[in-house]
Amino acid sequence: MVLFYSSNALGDDLPVVIYAGKDKFENEELLKYFIPERDLWVHVDKLSSPHIYLRLPEGMDWEKVPEKLLLDAGHICKAGSIQGNKQAVTIIYCKATNILKRGDFATGSVTFHDPRKVKRFRIEERVNAIVNRLNKTKVERQVDHEAERIERDRQQHKLKRAAANERANADLALARQRKADAEARSYANLHAKEGTDEWEEDEWERNRKEGDFDPDDDFM
């Protein structure tokens, strides 16, 4: 089972999903199926706590997450830690892709590919208003992780294909415009410059009425 929370830290019109495994076995599953480009991993430093995942809005830089949103995820960690709930804690977070799980690790245990890419912030004391607000949104749901990943990958492929088609159409339109511009310049060059003999002949030809004498025509 997976626990889902909804944070309104960015406003009611932009809810952010925070989720966690109900136990250490579910945490193992979440490590396999998080969204690489969007999910942050959040935990209480040096204490037992839930492994929290914060799903960032599309395009948000993980190093520029608003403090209020981080505090929401951090308070879920703190509230779920037997020791941490009673004291000031340091919350650690990083991109979920930075989490390293080796085969010889105990269930639920992880480390980091690069410890330098782990950020920290402090929560001095529990803020009940935050915890209560988030608990009101909590939903426990059975998740078919593999099916959700397949559907997500399908949607990602669809978006990438649409973006590729849009780029191809834009390139085609640009090529057509360039061709039209080149043809227009080529046509313009067919006309003689003003003041030359060729220009005068072109002017006479354009202005003469039908039946007028053409000096280049042979006659008897």
Side-chain angles (χ1 to χ4, degrees), residues 158-216:
K158 183 179 178 180
L159 291 173
K160 289 179 180 178
R161 186 171 58 189
N165 286 339
E166 185 175 346
R167 289 194 299 270
N169 289 334
D171 290 344
L172 180 60
L174 180 60
R176 286 173 173 170
Q177 184 60 50
R178 286 174 174 171
K179 181 179 179 182
D181 291 344
E183 289 177 347
R185 288 193 298 271
S186 177
Y187 178 77
N189 289 337
L190 293 176
H191 298 284
K193 293 183 179 180
E194 185 174 354
T196 64
D197 292 341
E198 292 82 4
W199 179 83
E200 291 181 356
E201 291 178 2
D202 287 344
E203 282 293 293
W204 186 90
E205 184 64 34
R206 281 193 293 270
N207 294 324
R208 78 182 179 93
K209 296 179 181 180
E210 186 176 353
D212 281 358
F213 167 72
D214 185 342
D216 290 331

Side-chain angles (χ1 to χ4, degrees), residues 2 4 20 23 46 67 81 97 117 126-127 129-130 134 136 144 163 167 169 174 182 184 191 198-199 209 214 218:
V2 181
F4 291 90
D23 54 37
K46 297 183 174 65
E67 181 182 7
S81 171
T97 51
K117 294 181 179 179
R126 172 181 170 130
V127 178
I130 294 177
L134 291 166
K136 288 179 180 178
D144 185 336
R167 289 194 299 270
N169 289 334
L174 180 60
H191 298 284
E198 292 82 4
W199 179 83
K209 296 179 181 180
D214 185 342
D218 291 334

Side-chain angles (χ1 to χ4, degrees), residues 2-209:
V2 181
L3 305 176
F4 291 90
Y5 303 82
S6 181
S7 169
N8 64 354
L10 303 182
D12 292 332
D13 59 337
L14 188 59
V16 176
V17 173
I18 301 173
Y19 67 100
K22 190 174 183 180
D23 54 37
K24 62 182 181 181
F25 300 102
E26 187 66 36
N27 287 338
E28 296 289 310
E29 289 298 298
L30 295 183
L31 277 173
K32 301 175 186 176
Y33 295 106
F34 61 79
I35 296 181
E37 64 273 17
R38 292 180 58 189
D39 284 357
L40 295 188
W41 180 89
V42 189
H43 199 269
V44 175
D45 192 22
K46 297 183 174 65
L47 295 176
S48 176
S49 84
H51 292 227
I52 299 297
Y53 291 84
L54 173 60
R55 181 153 295 167
L56 301 179
E58 289 278 2
M60 178 176 284
D61 186 338
W62 82 273
E63 295 187 283
K64 298 178 181 178
V65 180
E67 181 182 7
K68 190 175 180 181
L69 183 54
L70 289 174
L71 285 173
D72 274 6
H75 270 87
I76 295 176
C77 287
K78 177 176 169 60
S81 171
I82 295 174
Q83 291 176 272
N85 194 40
K86 303 173 183 178
Q87 64 186 61
V89 296
T90 296
I91 303 296
I92 57 177
Y93 69 99
C94 63
K95 292 192 71 173
T97 51
N98 193 35
I99 298 301
L100 172 62
K101 176 71 178 185
R102 290 199 290 259
D104 58 341
F105 283 11
T107 301
S109 297
V110 298
T111 186
F112 308 108
H113 289 285
D114 188 348
R116 295 169 299 178
K117 294 181 179 179
V118 178
K119 290 183 169 290
R120 292 168 170 79
F121 63 94
R122 291 281 290 178
I123 296 181
E124 297 299 331
E125 59 183 20
R126 172 181 170 130
V127 178
N128 286 327
I130 294 177
V131 176
N132 292 340
R133 169 172 54 82
L134 291 166
N135 279 337
K136 288 179 180 178
T137 71
K138 184 168 68 173
V139 175
E140 187 173 326
R141 180 162 60 88
Q142 186 72 43
V143 177
D144 185 336
H145 296 290
E146 185 173 3
E148 289 204 352
R149 170 57 68 88
I150 290 172
E151 175 60 19
R152 172 192 167 269
D153 290 346
R154 189 183 71 81
Q155 292 295 332
Q156 287 291 103
H157 178 70
K158 183 179 178 180
L159 291 173
K160 289 179 180 178
R161 186 171 58 189
N165 286 339
E166 185 175 346
R167 289 194 299 270
N169 289 334
D171 290 344
L172 180 60
L174 180 60
R176 286 173 173 170
Q177 184 60 50
R178 286 174 174 171
K179 181 179 179 182
D181 291 344
E183 289 177 347
R185 288 193 298 271
S186 177
Y187 178 77
N189 289 337
L190 293 176
H191 298 284
K193 293 183 179 180
E194 185 174 354
T196 64
D197 292 341
E198 292 82 4
W199 179 83
E200 291 181 356
E201 291 178 2
D202 287 344
E203 282 293 293
W204 186 90
E205 184 64 34
R206 281 193 293 270
N207 294 324
R208 78 182 179 93
K209 296 179 181 180

